[in-house]
Amino acid sequence: MLDYVGLEAELGEEERMIRDTARRFVDERIRPEIGDHFEDGTFPTDLIPEMGELGFYAPNLEGYGSPNVSETAYGLLMQELEAGDSGLRSMASVQGALVMYPIHAFGSEDQKEEWLPDLGTGEAVGCFGLTEPEHGSNPSNMETHAERDGDEYVLNGTKTWITNSPIADVAVVWARDRSAADGDDDGPIRGFLVETDRDGVTTNKITEKLSLRASITGEIDLRDVRVPESNVLPGVEGMKGPLSCLTQARYGIAWGAVGAARDCFETAREYATDREQFGGPIARFQLQQEKLAEMATEITTSQLLAYRLAELKERGDLRPQHVSMAKRNNVRMAREQSRVAREMLGGNGITTDYSPMRHLANLETVYTYEGTHDIHTLILGQDLTGIAAFE
Ligand code: FAD
């Protein structure tokens, strides 16, 4: 397995164990069937509790059943899961970084006790509702809103492109609290825990996807949905809430994309040494060797960035802009290298018998969600110049 500059030699025992557990899970439980799931547009939902038992959901959190593993261990977990499929890593990212994290960071004690243990074991599934049909890259203009009525809130609006919404038990919905509006201001954005079996909630599945097919994606439509005040996340107001969750998830993506690229590289390397043309393996051609050399170099430099993020995160020095740089770079790298790997497999490369074309298709989503490549460019541009180019 590609680890060209020996980064894994310095891993601790727990980190190796988590890496190996995830790698084995992917080899035994994912690889044999993922091509079929991708073709059928299904996710192996029967594995959700097994993933929980193995500790794949937010093991970097502390308490409520989470073991508080190192940020490197968490990153390695994301890397191994995405070597299987970006849909698999998305499942763990959403459940852990986008649902458990905000409850852990901003929830009441009751909310934590009610949800964190069940989400951690995979007994309950969560989803994260931020994007709306008319507000993707600019979620701060969201229209979904909540009005207070006695000791309840009434929610209205539509969220779309929501990973796992059709199978979720609970949605973290970000909405404007209009009852706290002041003058021209529409009210602060707040997080609401919305159980999906409440009256007025519908979660239609989006079926037309050509990317991230082995992942369930849907809408969340909210029509006069009543939730008690105790379902509001009390610890945060404003875009800081959703953005801090996205920083956690993007951190995992920066690692995960390296896993997808590595899987493409290993597939291409093996294929090139096995496949014979013109009387010998195609790996003997300089053109093919150049592709492997470039791929290995790009993967290695992205790995270095991911490991550095882990160090910064561990000591509390990680800034969201660091994560933007790594998400932007590593996903672009994986997207480009998966195409090269696909090319090296010739005609066989366009089938689900091999992973590169599936990864390539998936990475179109990864390039777009959690802040598009363009948006991360603008975040870095603002950080480097002090001038925001968003408006
Ligand atoms: P738009 O914002 O309309 O962007 C269209 C294009 O315009 C992009 O290329 C973009 O880069 C560019 N653009 C936009 N603004 C600017 C600018 N200022 N300058 C230059 N270029 C710009 N969301 C959730 O809330 N929860 C989820 O679980 C979730 N899961 C997803 C799963 C999948 C499979 C997909 C595809 C998306 C998911 N998303 C989720 C939504 C995702 O985060 C959005 O698709 C993403 O933020 C982009 O929004 P948009 O699709 O509306 O594109």
Side-chain angles (χ1 to χ4, degrees), residues 176-211:
R176 265 189 201 289
D177 179 2
R178 279 202 188 152
S179 25
D182 185 15
D184 286 345
D185 166 33
D186 270 351
I189 289 164
R190 303 190 73 182
F192 296 81
L193 298 179
V194 181
E195 296 88 346
T196 53
D197 58 1
R198 284 189 181 272
D199 287 345
V201 180
T202 43
T203 55
N204 294 329
K205 187 174 170 185
I206 299 172
T207 53
E208 305 85 357
K209 289 183 302 170
L210 297 174
S211 167

PDB file of all heavy atoms in Angstrom, residues 176-211:
ATOM      1  N   ARG A 176     -33.559  29.918  10.112  1.00  0.00           N
ATOM      2  CA  ARG A 176     -33.582  31.251  10.732  1.00  0.00           C
ATOM      3  C   ARG A 176     -34.649  31.306  11.813  1.00  0.00           C
ATOM      4  O   ARG A 176     -35.794  30.924  11.561  1.00  0.00           O
ATOM      5  CB  ARG A 176     -33.938  32.295   9.675  1.00  0.00           C
ATOM      6  CG  ARG A 176     -32.732  32.883   9.118  1.00  0.00           C
ATOM      7  CD  ARG A 176     -32.949  34.057   8.237  1.00  0.00           C
ATOM      8  NE  ARG A 176     -31.747  34.160   7.430  1.00  0.00           N
ATOM      9  CZ  ARG A 176     -30.560  34.538   7.901  1.00  0.00           C
ATOM     10  NH1 ARG A 176     -30.419  34.930   9.153  1.00  0.00           N
ATOM     11  NH2 ARG A 176     -29.502  34.557   7.120  1.00  0.00           N
ATOM     12  N   ASP A 177     -34.256  31.782  12.970  1.00  0.00           N
ATOM     13  CA  ASP A 177     -35.211  31.927  14.065  1.00  0.00           C
ATOM     14  C   ASP A 177     -35.870  33.305  13.928  1.00  0.00           C
ATOM     15  O   ASP A 177     -35.371  34.299  14.462  1.00  0.00           O
ATOM     16  CB  ASP A 177     -34.471  31.781  15.401  1.00  0.00           C
ATOM     17  CG  ASP A 177     -35.411  31.953  16.579  1.00  0.00           C
ATOM     18  OD1 ASP A 177     -36.629  32.152  16.343  1.00  0.00           O
ATOM     19  OD2 ASP A 177     -34.924  31.888  17.718  1.00  0.00           O
ATOM     20  N   ARG A 178     -36.999  33.328  13.207  1.00  0.00           N
ATOM     21  CA  ARG A 178     -37.618  34.628  12.907  1.00  0.00           C
ATOM     22  C   ARG A 178     -38.182  35.299  14.147  1.00  0.00           C
ATOM     23  O   ARG A 178     -38.359  36.509  14.183  1.00  0.00           O
ATOM     24  CB  ARG A 178     -38.744  34.439  11.879  1.00  0.00           C
ATOM     25  CG  ARG A 178     -38.199  34.357  10.482  1.00  0.00           C
ATOM     26  CD  ARG A 178     -39.276  34.700   9.467  1.00  0.00           C
ATOM     27  NE  ARG A 178     -38.799  34.446   8.126  1.00  0.00           N
ATOM     28  CZ  ARG A 178     -39.560  34.137   7.106  1.00  0.00           C
ATOM     29  NH1 ARG A 178     -40.872  34.007   7.261  1.00  0.00           N
ATOM     30  NH2 ARG A 178     -39.050  33.941   5.913  1.00  0.00           N
ATOM     31  N   SER A 179     -38.487  34.480  15.171  1.00  0.00           N
ATOM     32  CA  SER A 179     -39.038  35.109  16.371  1.00  0.00           C
ATOM     33  C   SER A 179     -37.993  35.953  17.090  1.00  0.00           C
ATOM     34  O   SER A 179     -38.337  36.786  17.921  1.00  0.00           O
ATOM     35  CB  SER A 179     -39.639  34.061  17.302  1.00  0.00           C
ATOM     36  OG  SER A 179     -39.064  32.817  17.115  1.00  0.00           O
ATOM     37  N   ALA A 180     -36.701  35.735  16.740  1.00  0.00           N
ATOM     38  CA  ALA A 180     -35.655  36.570  17.350  1.00  0.00           C
ATOM     39  C   ALA A 180     -35.198  37.665  16.385  1.00  0.00           C
ATOM     40  O   ALA A 180     -34.133  38.262  16.569  1.00  0.00           O
ATOM     41  CB  ALA A 180     -34.470  35.693  17.757  1.00  0.00           C
ATOM     42  N   ALA A 181     -36.008  37.915  15.304  1.00  0.00           N
ATOM     43  CA  ALA A 181     -35.630  38.936  14.318  1.00  0.00           C
ATOM     44  C   ALA A 181     -35.645  40.310  14.971  1.00  0.00           C
ATOM     45  O   ALA A 181     -36.430  40.566  15.884  1.00  0.00           O
ATOM     46  CB  ALA A 181     -36.592  38.903  13.136  1.00  0.00           C
ATOM     47  N   ASP A 182     -34.753  41.160  14.450  1.00  0.00           N
ATOM     48  CA  ASP A 182     -34.611  42.487  15.040  1.00  0.00           C
ATOM     49  C   ASP A 182     -34.505  43.503  13.899  1.00  0.00           C
ATOM     50  O   ASP A 182     -33.515  43.499  13.174  1.00  0.00           O
ATOM     51  CB  ASP A 182     -33.324  42.467  15.906  1.00  0.00           C
ATOM     52  CG  ASP A 182     -33.157  43.764  16.662  1.00  0.00           C
ATOM     53  OD1 ASP A 182     -34.135  44.522  16.739  1.00  0.00           O
ATOM     54  OD2 ASP A 182     -32.026  44.011  17.149  1.00  0.00           O
ATOM     55  N   GLY A 183     -35.521  44.330  13.714  1.00  0.00           N
ATOM     56  CA  GLY A 183     -35.500  45.319  12.629  1.00  0.00           C
ATOM     57  C   GLY A 183     -35.445  44.648  11.271  1.00  0.00           C
ATOM     58  O   GLY A 183     -36.229  43.758  10.968  1.00  0.00           O
ATOM     59  N   ASP A 184     -34.443  45.040  10.431  1.00  0.00           N
ATOM     60  CA  ASP A 184     -34.288  44.484   9.076  1.00  0.00           C
ATOM     61  C   ASP A 184     -33.743  43.058   9.093  1.00  0.00           C
ATOM     62  O   ASP A 184     -33.835  42.320   8.113  1.00  0.00           O
ATOM     63  CB  ASP A 184     -33.292  45.330   8.264  1.00  0.00           C
ATOM     64  CG  ASP A 184     -33.934  46.650   7.867  1.00  0.00           C
ATOM     65  OD1 ASP A 184     -35.167  46.748   7.973  1.00  0.00           O
ATOM     66  OD2 ASP A 184     -33.171  47.557   7.477  1.00  0.00           O
ATOM     67  N   ASP A 185     -33.143  42.697  10.212  1.00  0.00           N
ATOM     68  CA  ASP A 185     -32.505  41.395  10.341  1.00  0.00           C
ATOM     69  C   ASP A 185     -33.585  40.313  10.407  1.00  0.00           C
ATOM     70  O   ASP A 185     -34.605  40.467  11.073  1.00  0.00           O
ATOM     71  CB  ASP A 185     -31.673  41.465  11.644  1.00  0.00           C
ATOM     72  CG  ASP A 185     -31.222  40.117  12.097  1.00  0.00           C
ATOM     73  OD1 ASP A 185     -30.972  39.288  11.232  1.00  0.00           O
ATOM     74  OD2 ASP A 185     -31.121  39.917  13.333  1.00  0.00           O
ATOM     75  N   ASP A 186     -33.373  39.199   9.671  1.00  0.00           N
ATOM     76  CA  ASP A 186     -34.367  38.110   9.591  1.00  0.00           C
ATOM     77  C   ASP A 186     -34.303  37.156  10.779  1.00  0.00           C
ATOM     78  O   ASP A 186     -35.016  36.160  10.808  1.00  0.00           O
ATOM     79  CB  ASP A 186     -34.093  37.264   8.335  1.00  0.00           C
ATOM     80  CG  ASP A 186     -34.848  37.808   7.155  1.00  0.00           C
ATOM     81  OD1 ASP A 186     -35.676  38.694   7.359  1.00  0.00           O
ATOM     82  OD2 ASP A 186     -34.577  37.324   6.030  1.00  0.00           O
ATOM     83  N   GLY A 187     -33.411  37.402  11.692  1.00  0.00           N
ATOM     84  CA  GLY A 187     -33.253  36.511  12.841  1.00  0.00           C
ATOM     85  C   GLY A 187     -32.025  35.625  12.680  1.00  0.00           C
ATOM     86  O   GLY A 187     -31.587  35.365  11.557  1.00  0.00           O
ATOM     87  N   PRO A 188     -31.461  35.165  13.785  1.00  0.00           N
ATOM     88  CA  PRO A 188     -30.220  34.371  13.729  1.00  0.00           C
ATOM     89  C   PRO A 188     -30.471  32.950  13.213  1.00  0.00           C
ATOM     90  O   PRO A 188     -31.573  32.414  13.373  1.00  0.00           O
ATOM     91  CB  PRO A 188     -29.775  34.324  15.191  1.00  0.00           C
ATOM     92  CG  PRO A 188     -31.032  34.486  15.982  1.00  0.00           C
ATOM     93  CD  PRO A 188     -31.945  35.359  15.162  1.00  0.00           C
ATOM     94  N   ILE A 189     -29.453  32.372  12.616  1.00  0.00           N
ATOM     95  CA  ILE A 189     -29.536  30.959  12.209  1.00  0.00           C
ATOM     96  C   ILE A 189     -29.313  30.105  13.449  1.00  0.00           C
ATOM     97  O   ILE A 189     -28.393  30.352  14.235  1.00  0.00           O
ATOM     98  CB  ILE A 189     -28.481  30.665  11.113  1.00  0.00           C
ATOM     99  CG1 ILE A 189     -28.920  31.350   9.812  1.00  0.00           C
ATOM    100  CG2 ILE A 189     -28.296  29.155  10.908  1.00  0.00           C
ATOM    101  CD1 ILE A 189     -27.851  31.470   8.783  1.00  0.00           C
ATOM    102  N   ARG A 190     -30.189  29.108  13.611  1.00  0.00           N
ATOM    103  CA  ARG A 190     -30.042  28.204  14.756  1.00  0.00           C
ATOM    104  C   ARG A 190     -30.194  26.763  14.289  1.00  0.00           C
ATOM    105  O   ARG A 190     -30.760  26.502  13.217  1.00  0.00           O
ATOM    106  CB  ARG A 190     -31.105  28.527  15.828  1.00  0.00           C
ATOM    107  CG  ARG A 190     -31.024  29.969  16.271  1.00  0.00           C
ATOM    108  CD  ARG A 190     -31.872  30.245  17.478  1.00  0.00           C
ATOM    109  NE  ARG A 190     -31.299  29.687  18.689  1.00  0.00           N
ATOM    110  CZ  ARG A 190     -31.878  29.771  19.894  1.00  0.00           C
ATOM    111  NH1 ARG A 190     -33.039  30.379  20.016  1.00  0.00           N
ATOM    112  NH2 ARG A 190     -31.309  29.258  20.955  1.00  0.00           N
ATOM    113  N   GLY A 191     -29.695  25.847  15.090  1.00  0.00           N
ATOM    114  CA  GLY A 191     -29.778  24.422  14.758  1.00  0.00           C
ATOM    115  C   GLY A 191     -30.947  23.780  15.491  1.00  0.00           C
ATOM    116  O   GLY A 191     -31.116  23.994  16.700  1.00  0.00           O
ATOM    117  N   PHE A 192     -31.750  23.006  14.768  1.00  0.00           N
ATOM    118  CA  PHE A 192     -32.922  22.322  15.336  1.00  0.00           C
ATOM    119  C   PHE A 192     -32.776  20.824  15.117  1.00  0.00           C
ATOM    120  O   PHE A 192     -32.458  20.392  13.999  1.00  0.00           O
ATOM    121  CB  PHE A 192     -34.208  22.806  14.648  1.00  0.00           C
ATOM    122  CG  PHE A 192     -34.504  24.261  14.869  1.00  0.00           C
ATOM    123  CD1 PHE A 192     -33.871  25.239  14.112  1.00  0.00           C
ATOM    124  CD2 PHE A 192     -35.400  24.665  15.867  1.00  0.00           C
ATOM    125  CE1 PHE A 192     -34.127  26.589  14.325  1.00  0.00           C
ATOM    126  CE2 PHE A 192     -35.656  26.016  16.090  1.00  0.00           C
ATOM    127  CZ  PHE A 192     -35.018  26.985  15.315  1.00  0.00           C
ATOM    128  N   LEU A 193     -33.032  20.059  16.169  1.00  0.00           N
ATOM    129  CA  LEU A 193     -33.050  18.599  16.009  1.00  0.00           C
ATOM    130  C   LEU A 193     -34.468  18.210  15.633  1.00  0.00           C
ATOM    131  O   LEU A 193     -35.398  18.388  16.430  1.00  0.00           O
ATOM    132  CB  LEU A 193     -32.624  17.909  17.308  1.00  0.00           C
ATOM    133  CG  LEU A 193     -31.198  18.227  17.776  1.00  0.00           C
ATOM    134  CD1 LEU A 193     -30.886  17.505  19.088  1.00  0.00           C
ATOM    135  CD2 LEU A 193     -30.188  17.822  16.709  1.00  0.00           C
ATOM    136  N   VAL A 194     -34.640  17.720  14.403  1.00  0.00           N
ATOM    137  CA  VAL A 194     -35.987  17.396  13.909  1.00  0.00           C
ATOM    138  C   VAL A 194     -36.067  15.890  13.679  1.00  0.00           C
ATOM    139  O   VAL A 194     -35.392  15.350  12.793  1.00  0.00           O
ATOM    140  CB  VAL A 194     -36.270  18.148  12.584  1.00  0.00           C
ATOM    141  CG1 VAL A 194     -37.673  17.823  12.085  1.00  0.00           C
ATOM    142  CG2 VAL A 194     -36.096  19.649  12.769  1.00  0.00           C
ATOM    143  N   GLU A 195     -36.870  15.218  14.500  1.00  0.00           N
ATOM    144  CA  GLU A 195     -37.092  13.782  14.278  1.00  0.00           C
ATOM    145  C   GLU A 195     -37.894  13.651  12.985  1.00  0.00           C
ATOM    146  O   GLU A 195     -38.874  14.378  12.774  1.00  0.00           O
ATOM    147  CB  GLU A 195     -37.875  13.164  15.450  1.00  0.00           C
ATOM    148  CG  GLU A 195     -37.128  13.206  16.787  1.00  0.00           C
ATOM    149  CD  GLU A 195     -37.364  14.491  17.582  1.00  0.00           C
ATOM    150  OE1 GLU A 195     -37.894  15.471  17.002  1.00  0.00           O
ATOM    151  OE2 GLU A 195     -37.018  14.519  18.773  1.00  0.00           O
ATOM    152  N   THR A 196     -37.483  12.714  12.129  1.00  0.00           N
ATOM    153  CA  THR A 196     -38.079  12.669  10.789  1.00  0.00           C
ATOM    154  C   THR A 196     -39.483  12.064  10.780  1.00  0.00           C
ATOM    155  O   THR A 196     -40.145  12.092   9.749  1.00  0.00           O
ATOM    156  CB  THR A 196     -37.171  11.890   9.814  1.00  0.00           C
ATOM    157  OG1 THR A 196     -36.886  10.625  10.415  1.00  0.00           O
ATOM    158  CG2 THR A 196     -35.893  12.638   9.519  1.00  0.00           C
ATOM    159  N   ASP A 197     -39.915  11.517  11.929  1.00  0.00           N
ATOM    160  CA  ASP A 197     -41.296  10.993  11.959  1.00  0.00           C
ATOM    161  C   ASP A 197     -42.295  12.045  12.463  1.00  0.00           C
ATOM    162  O   ASP A 197     -43.473  11.744  12.674  1.00  0.00           O
ATOM    163  CB  ASP A 197     -41.386   9.702  12.790  1.00  0.00           C
ATOM    164  CG  ASP A 197     -40.924   9.895  14.232  1.00  0.00           C
ATOM    165  OD1 ASP A 197     -40.551  11.044  14.597  1.00  0.00           O
ATOM    166  OD2 ASP A 197     -40.918   8.905  14.988  1.00  0.00           O
ATOM    167  N   ARG A 198     -41.866  13.277  12.613  1.00  0.00           N
ATOM    168  CA  ARG A 198     -42.814  14.336  13.030  1.00  0.00           C
ATOM    169  C   ARG A 198     -43.752  14.691  11.885  1.00  0.00           C
ATOM    170  O   ARG A 198     -43.358  14.619  10.712  1.00  0.00           O
ATOM    171  CB  ARG A 198     -42.054  15.601  13.450  1.00  0.00           C
ATOM    172  CG  ARG A 198     -41.432  15.470  14.804  1.00  0.00           C
ATOM    173  CD  ARG A 198     -40.880  16.777  15.311  1.00  0.00           C
ATOM    174  NE  ARG A 198     -40.283  16.527  16.608  1.00  0.00           N
ATOM    175  CZ  ARG A 198     -40.940  16.587  17.773  1.00  0.00           C
ATOM    176  NH1 ARG A 198     -42.210  16.951  17.800  1.00  0.00           N
ATOM    177  NH2 ARG A 198     -40.335  16.312  18.904  1.00  0.00           N
ATOM    178  N   ASP A 199     -44.980  15.088  12.236  1.00  0.00           N
ATOM    179  CA  ASP A 199     -45.946  15.524  11.220  1.00  0.00           C
ATOM    180  C   ASP A 199     -45.354  16.673  10.420  1.00  0.00           C
ATOM    181  O   ASP A 199     -44.783  17.601  11.001  1.00  0.00           O
ATOM    182  CB  ASP A 199     -47.246  16.014  11.885  1.00  0.00           C
ATOM    183  CG  ASP A 199     -48.057  14.850  12.428  1.00  0.00           C
ATOM    184  OD1 ASP A 199     -47.761  13.698  12.039  1.00  0.00           O
ATOM    185  OD2 ASP A 199     -48.964  15.096  13.241  1.00  0.00           O
ATOM    186  N   GLY A 200     -45.528  16.606   9.090  1.00  0.00           N
ATOM    187  CA  GLY A 200     -45.076  17.705   8.239  1.00  0.00           C
ATOM    188  C   GLY A 200     -43.679  17.515   7.662  1.00  0.00           C
ATOM    189  O   GLY A 200     -43.228  18.337   6.865  1.00  0.00           O
ATOM    190  N   VAL A 201     -42.971  16.423   8.049  1.00  0.00           N
ATOM    191  CA  VAL A 201     -41.625  16.168   7.493  1.00  0.00           C
ATOM    192  C   VAL A 201     -41.730  15.144   6.372  1.00  0.00           C
ATOM    193  O   VAL A 201     -42.296  14.066   6.568  1.00  0.00           O
ATOM    194  CB  VAL A 201     -40.662  15.600   8.572  1.00  0.00           C
ATOM    195  CG1 VAL A 201     -39.278  15.347   7.980  1.00  0.00           C
ATOM    196  CG2 VAL A 201     -40.577  16.513   9.777  1.00  0.00           C
ATOM    197  N   THR A 202     -41.207  15.471   5.182  1.00  0.00           N
ATOM    198  CA  THR A 202     -41.065  14.448   4.130  1.00  0.00           C
ATOM    199  C   THR A 202     -39.622  14.466   3.627  1.00  0.00           C
ATOM    200  O   THR A 202     -38.970  15.519   3.593  1.00  0.00           O
ATOM    201  CB  THR A 202     -42.018  14.676   2.929  1.00  0.00           C
ATOM    202  OG1 THR A 202     -42.027  16.050   2.605  1.00  0.00           O
ATOM    203  CG2 THR A 202     -43.423  14.208   3.204  1.00  0.00           C
ATOM    204  N   THR A 203     -39.135  13.283   3.251  1.00  0.00           N
ATOM    205  CA  THR A 203     -37.714  13.145   2.865  1.00  0.00           C
ATOM    206  C   THR A 203     -37.612  12.331   1.573  1.00  0.00           C
ATOM    207  O   THR A 203     -37.243  11.163   1.605  1.00  0.00           O
ATOM    208  CB  THR A 203     -36.917  12.442   3.984  1.00  0.00           C
ATOM    209  OG1 THR A 203     -37.550  11.196   4.270  1.00  0.00           O
ATOM    210  CG2 THR A 203     -36.827  13.276   5.230  1.00  0.00           C
ATOM    211  N   ASN A 204     -37.966  12.954   0.451  1.00  0.00           N
ATOM    212  CA  ASN A 204     -37.900  12.232  -0.836  1.00  0.00           C
ATOM    213  C   ASN A 204     -36.466  11.938  -1.237  1.00  0.00           C
ATOM    214  O   ASN A 204     -35.578  12.762  -1.031  1.00  0.00           O
ATOM    215  CB  ASN A 204     -38.550  13.074  -1.941  1.00  0.00           C
ATOM    216  CG  ASN A 204     -40.023  13.237  -1.694  1.00  0.00           C
ATOM    217  OD1 ASN A 204     -40.658  12.353  -1.112  1.00  0.00           O
ATOM    218  ND2 ASN A 204     -40.565  14.371  -2.110  1.00  0.00           N
ATOM    219  N   LYS A 205     -36.294  10.772  -1.861  1.00  0.00           N
ATOM    220  CA  LYS A 205     -34.961  10.363  -2.328  1.00  0.00           C
ATOM    221  C   LYS A 205     -34.671  10.983  -3.702  1.00  0.00           C
ATOM    222  O   LYS A 205     -35.570  11.064  -4.542  1.00  0.00           O
ATOM    223  CB  LYS A 205     -34.936   8.828  -2.432  1.00  0.00           C
ATOM    224  CG  LYS A 205     -33.596   8.243  -2.727  1.00  0.00           C
ATOM    225  CD  LYS A 205     -33.633   6.715  -2.655  1.00  0.00           C
ATOM    226  CE  LYS A 205     -32.330   6.153  -3.200  1.00  0.00           C
ATOM    227  NZ  LYS A 205     -32.320   4.702  -3.276  1.00  0.00           N
ATOM    228  N   ILE A 206     -33.438  11.421  -3.900  1.00  0.00           N
ATOM    229  CA  ILE A 206     -33.007  11.903  -5.216  1.00  0.00           C
ATOM    230  C   ILE A 206     -32.393  10.705  -5.950  1.00  0.00           C
ATOM    231  O   ILE A 206     -31.444  10.101  -5.457  1.00  0.00           O
ATOM    232  CB  ILE A 206     -31.970  13.046  -5.083  1.00  0.00           C
ATOM    233  CG1 ILE A 206     -32.602  14.235  -4.347  1.00  0.00           C
ATOM    234  CG2 ILE A 206     -31.435  13.470  -6.450  1.00  0.00           C
ATOM    235  CD1 ILE A 206     -31.623  15.347  -3.976  1.00  0.00           C
ATOM    236  N   THR A 207     -32.974  10.354  -7.097  1.00  0.00           N
ATOM    237  CA  THR A 207     -32.571   9.091  -7.740  1.00  0.00           C
ATOM    238  C   THR A 207     -31.727   9.291  -9.001  1.00  0.00           C
ATOM    239  O   THR A 207     -31.183   8.335  -9.520  1.00  0.00           O
ATOM    240  CB  THR A 207     -33.820   8.276  -8.137  1.00  0.00           C
ATOM    241  OG1 THR A 207     -34.665   9.117  -8.910  1.00  0.00           O
ATOM    242  CG2 THR A 207     -34.560   7.766  -6.920  1.00  0.00           C
ATOM    243  N   GLU A 208     -31.600  10.495  -9.490  1.00  0.00           N
ATOM    244  CA  GLU A 208     -30.996  10.680 -10.829  1.00  0.00           C
ATOM    245  C   GLU A 208     -29.482  10.835 -10.791  1.00  0.00           C
ATOM    246  O   GLU A 208     -28.877  11.254 -11.768  1.00  0.00           O
ATOM    247  CB  GLU A 208     -31.599  11.919 -11.517  1.00  0.00           C
ATOM    248  CG  GLU A 208     -33.113  11.930 -11.644  1.00  0.00           C
ATOM    249  CD  GLU A 208     -33.812  12.472 -10.394  1.00  0.00           C
ATOM    250  OE1 GLU A 208     -33.122  12.786  -9.405  1.00  0.00           O
ATOM    251  OE2 GLU A 208     -35.048  12.555 -10.401  1.00  0.00           O
ATOM    252  N   LYS A 209     -28.837  10.494  -9.689  1.00  0.00           N
ATOM    253  CA  LYS A 209     -27.401  10.779  -9.558  1.00  0.00           C
ATOM    254  C   LYS A 209     -26.533   9.880 -10.450  1.00  0.00           C
ATOM    255  O   LYS A 209     -26.768   8.676 -10.542  1.00  0.00           O
ATOM    256  CB  LYS A 209     -26.963  10.553  -8.108  1.00  0.00           C
ATOM    257  CG  LYS A 209     -27.457  11.585  -7.129  1.00  0.00           C
ATOM    258  CD  LYS A 209     -26.893  11.301  -5.743  1.00  0.00           C
ATOM    259  CE  LYS A 209     -27.279   9.934  -5.263  1.00  0.00           C
ATOM    260  NZ  LYS A 209     -26.606   9.503  -4.054  1.00  0.00           N
ATOM    261  N   LEU A 210     -25.488  10.477 -11.041  1.00  0.00           N
ATOM    262  CA  LEU A 210     -24.479   9.708 -11.774  1.00  0.00           C
ATOM    263  C   LEU A 210     -23.167   9.672 -10.984  1.00  0.00           C
ATOM    264  O   LEU A 210     -22.144   9.211 -11.469  1.00  0.00           O
ATOM    265  CB  LEU A 210     -24.239  10.339 -13.154  1.00  0.00           C
ATOM    266  CG  LEU A 210     -25.463  10.338 -14.081  1.00  0.00           C
ATOM    267  CD1 LEU A 210     -25.161  11.106 -15.360  1.00  0.00           C
ATOM    268  CD2 LEU A 210     -25.905   8.916 -14.410  1.00  0.00           C
ATOM    269  N   SER A 211     -23.206  10.196  -9.769  1.00  0.00           N
ATOM    270  CA  SER A 211     -22.021  10.284  -8.912  1.00  0.00           C
ATOM    271  C   SER A 211     -22.471   9.941  -7.492  1.00  0.00           C
ATOM    272  O   SER A 211     -23.633  10.151  -7.150  1.00  0.00           O
ATOM    273  CB  SER A 211     -21.494  11.726  -8.968  1.00  0.00           C
ATOM    274  OG  SER A 211     -20.537  11.977  -7.968  1.00  0.00           O
TER     275      SER A 211
END
